[in-house]
Structure formats: structure tokens, C-alpha cells
Amino acid sequence: MARKRKRSGEGNNIPLDLTVEILHRLPAKYLARTRYVSKQWRTIIDDYIVKNSVVTRSLSQPSPDAPHFILDTLLDGGVVFSYTYSRQIRSERNQIVEKMFAMTATAREFQYVRGLIGFWSCTRGQFTLHNPTTRRSVPLPDTGIPLRRFYLFGYDPLRNQYKVACIARPTSEPEQSCKVFTLGDLGKEWRNIKCCIERHSPFGTAVCIGGTIYYTATAENQRNVIISFNVVSEMFSHVFQVPEKLNGRYGKSSLVNYLGKLGCICYNYLNNEDMDVWVMENAEKQEWSKITHMAVLQGIPSSMCRFGVTHPGGEIVIVPYFYYYLGSEGYYYNPNINSRRSFVIQSPRLGGTDLVRIWPVTDPVENIMSLM
């Protein structure tokens, strides 16, 4: 008697909870590929896994496949952007794997938020998002704001949303233009918001901490200030006055996430060998604390003035701020044991005479979310 053939899929369906459990165990790069198997698999991954779990897992168990540095390489044909993977982060010198993700003829700025890289041209002004895990890039629509603009990229932990804010640099107009774009918004449009604080000119690199973006700016009285943008409420506030001793070294400082608080790391105002770590202890009272680490910067060129703080390790990363020769040393400093170690970024496609800028990624994670 001929055996009766089962219909396609009958008796072979895996229960949803078991499917989710299996997918949860996959590395992020395989999850990213699995999303394209079928619409059903994409829905399961997006609805049950993508929402924070991959990023959260990466935060608790850092992956070697997440970027550790972003490179901005100055070549004859333009500027090449790449990111690097550090396979032996604890060794004296690292041979680093490099992946190129963009090329342009103009210099750009970068912001890294929870596994996503946001970058833009200082002259052309369009903001682009890149996901290193899925290796996909998406340019956002034009803001309509004049080219002299500054972008802020951040994460809303309450709604699990990523947002980009665009601020026009001050002009003769009575009010400073500001717009916001929410990733995943069906309208895919920039929304106008009110700036509601004094006119200012943003500069430097912003940092997002707990749903608030902090950035440096020059106020109309020409004093340097730190301004915050709440990603949840989309409100600008808290114009922090920079301490006088910090203000003198402001051009050689970096805003950082220092153990969950706003921090600023810079050269000591008395010499170029000591390093100061300023921490905002109370925003309402404008109270800063300061720790000076003696002789940490001894023997390091004064052009080394971009800093970061690794998470969860708490080590301070020291890299060149300006374009510097590839193969030059960078440093990790562990304040808990007062120990400094060096590393060298090497590239198979670049030589020692190529000029690069290095942007440290201090909380490298994987993220498989779709950008649009």
C-alpha cells in the first residue's frame, strides 16, 4: 500500500518559541543573513529578537566582529572611510582587520551609537547611516536646512528608537533652525522642532548617554559651553558652563561617557604630560569633579588629543585627533592599575606614509536592525 505523502510543511513546523530560542543563539552576522531567507523569518527576527536583544547581548559579551576604530584615510583620490576589528585587543601591538565602507572627496564627521555609524560631509551636508553588521548604508533625505549644519545621532531607550537631529549654524535669521528624523518612521520625513535655547555654533564630537546627547558649542558671547539634547522629549536644555581651568584646554579635549556620566578628558592645564578627567556630578548645580592622572601622556605627541572610555572595561583610549601617519601608536590607559599599553593599527591596503584620522569606538556592539 502506497504511503500517503504529507502536505508541504505539515508535521515539520517548528514551534515559534523553539524557533526564537534557536535564533537567539545565532551570532549576529548570521542573524542578519537569516532575515533575508523569507518574509516569515524576517518578521520573527524583527519582532522577537532585534528589539534590543542583539545589542544587549553584545554589551554584556563584546564581539570581536564589532568595530573598534573608524578610520578616515586621506588619499590622492579622496577620503576613504573604513572600520577595524581588533582580534587581539590585549596584546602589545595589534594586527587589525579592516573593512572599507565609503569613499568621498570631502572630509566628514562621525558618530557611533549602539552598533550604527552616522557620518556626514561638512560641505555637502547629507547624513548617512551605516550598519557594520549588515554592511548596509542608507542616506537620509535632505533636511532643507542650509549647508552650514551640524548633526546629532542618538538613541531613545524608552521607545527603542534611533533619532537624528539637524541644527543650522547661526545666521541672520532670528531663530536657529532645528529638525529631527526618526529611523523607522513611515513618513520618512524631517520634522521641525524648536531649539528654545540661546543661539550657538556646535563643534567637536557629540556623545549620547542614557537617551541624552551632549555636544560642545560656542555661544554668542564666544564662551565655550556644553549643550544637551534629550532624544526622548526632543528638547534642548542644560547649557553647562565649562570650568575655567578646563576652558583653557577645551581645544584639546573630548566629551566621553565616563561610567554613565558626562565626562571630559583633556591635557592638564599646567603641562602636556598629565591628563585631567572632568566628570559632571550634578548638572543642576553645575558641579564638576576632576581627577588628574600624572605622567600618563609622557612621551606622547601633543597632537594625540582624541580620547574615549571603553565600556564596560573603563580604559581610556588615546589616539591622534588630526590626520596622522598610519602605523603610529595609540594607547590604552587603565586608571585602576595605573598602566598604559600601546597598539598599532595596520592596514593591508595602506602604507606608513598614508595619513589617517582615528575615531575610537568605545562600546563596540553588533546590531542587525534594518536602517529604513
Side-chain angles (χ1 to χ4, degrees), residues 8 15 18 54 66-67 71 124 131 139 147 154 203 211 222 231 245 254 277 309 326 330 343:
S8 177
L18 182 57
V54 174
L71 301 183
R124 295 181 181 176
N131 187 329
L147 288 182
F203 67 90
Q222 298 303 307
V231 184
K245 291 181 179 179
S254 300
V277 178
V309 179
L326 185 71
F343 64 88

Side-chain angles (χ1 to χ4, degrees), residues 34-299:
T34 306
R35 291 175 77 247
Y36 295 97
V37 170
S38 67
K39 184 176 180 180
Q40 182 184 15
W41 282 69
R42 183 186 183 104
T43 301
I44 291 174
I45 293 172
D46 287 352
D47 289 350
Y48 293 93
I49 296 177
V50 168
K51 294 179 179 177
N52 261 342
S53 64
V54 174
V55 176
T56 302
R57 183 176 66 187
S58 293
L59 286 170
S60 60
Q61 301 174 347
S63 169
D65 291 324
H68 283 77
F69 298 95
I70 300 171
L71 301 183
D72 169 356
T73 309
L74 192 61
L75 300 175
D76 291 339
V79 179
V80 172
F81 303 100
S82 58
Y83 42 81
T84 62
Y85 301 93
S86 182
R87 299 292 184 183
Q88 297 177 333
I89 205 68
R90 295 292 174 188
S91 66
E92 280 293 318
R93 290 177 176 242
N94 299 312
Q95 177 70 39
I96 288 183
V97 181
E98 179 194 21
K99 300 288 185 182
M100 188 179 78
F101 67 90
M103 183 170 183
T104 181
T106 57
R108 300 198 183 199
E109 299 293 329
F110 294 89
Q111 291 177 26
Y112 180 91
V113 178
R114 293 171 57 86
L116 303 180
I117 300 172
F119 60 102
W120 75 94
S121 165
C122 298
T123 54
R124 295 181 181 176
Q126 188 174 28
F127 191 89
T128 300
L129 285 168
H130 176 77
N131 187 329
T133 305
T134 62
R135 299 184 186 178
R136 292 177 179 269
S137 298
V138 172
L140 298 190
D142 185 68
T143 62
I145 291 177
L147 288 182
R148 287 177 53 82
R149 62 185 77 162
F150 188 86
Y151 289 96
L152 303 170
F153 180 33
Y155 174 72
D156 174 356
L158 295 182
R159 300 183 181 89
N160 189 30
Q161 291 180 330
Y162 294 81
K163 296 181 181 179
V164 181
C166 181
I167 311 168
R169 298 184 186 274
T171 62
S172 57
E173 297 294 325
E175 187 173 333
Q176 202 163 354
S177 297
C178 302
K179 292 187 177 183
V180 169
F181 187 95
T182 302
L183 271 67
D185 187 0
L186 296 178
K188 297 183 180 181
E189 295 181 349
W190 291 88
R191 296 177 286 104
N192 288 304
I193 62 171
K194 289 186 176 294
C195 208
C196 296
I197 57 173
E198 64 180 298
R199 292 157 60 89
H200 59 281
S201 296
F203 67 90
T205 302
V207 59
C208 185
I209 306 172
T212 300
I213 303 173
Y214 300 92
Y215 62 98
T216 52
T218 302
E220 289 190 300
N221 60 5
Q222 298 303 307
R223 180 173 174 79
N224 291 329
V225 294
I226 299 174
I227 296 175
S228 70
F229 175 73
N230 189 302
V231 184
V232 180
S233 65
E234 301 180 359
M235 296 287 293
F236 292 87
S237 60
H238 295 305
V239 180
F240 303 126
Q241 295 297 324
V242 180
E244 200 61 46
K245 291 181 179 179
L246 172 59
N247 200 56
R249 288 286 184 176
Y250 212 52
K252 292 186 176 182
S253 63
S254 300
L255 292 185
V256 298
N257 179 348
Y258 191 80
L259 305 179
K261 296 181 179 180
L262 174 63
C264 187
I265 303 179
C266 63
Y267 287 87
N268 182 269
Y269 68 99
L270 294 177
N271 61 65
N272 284 334
E273 294 187 353
D274 301 340
M275 179 177 67
D276 289 340
V277 178
W278 296 79
V279 179
M280 175 64 79
E281 301 291 353
N282 189 311
E284 297 298 327
K285 297 181 179 179
Q286 300 284 298
E287 290 179 351
W288 293 81
S289 65
K290 187 190 78 166
I291 302 173
T292 298
H293 299 281
M294 309 295 290
V296 171
L297 304 177
Q298 189 173 33

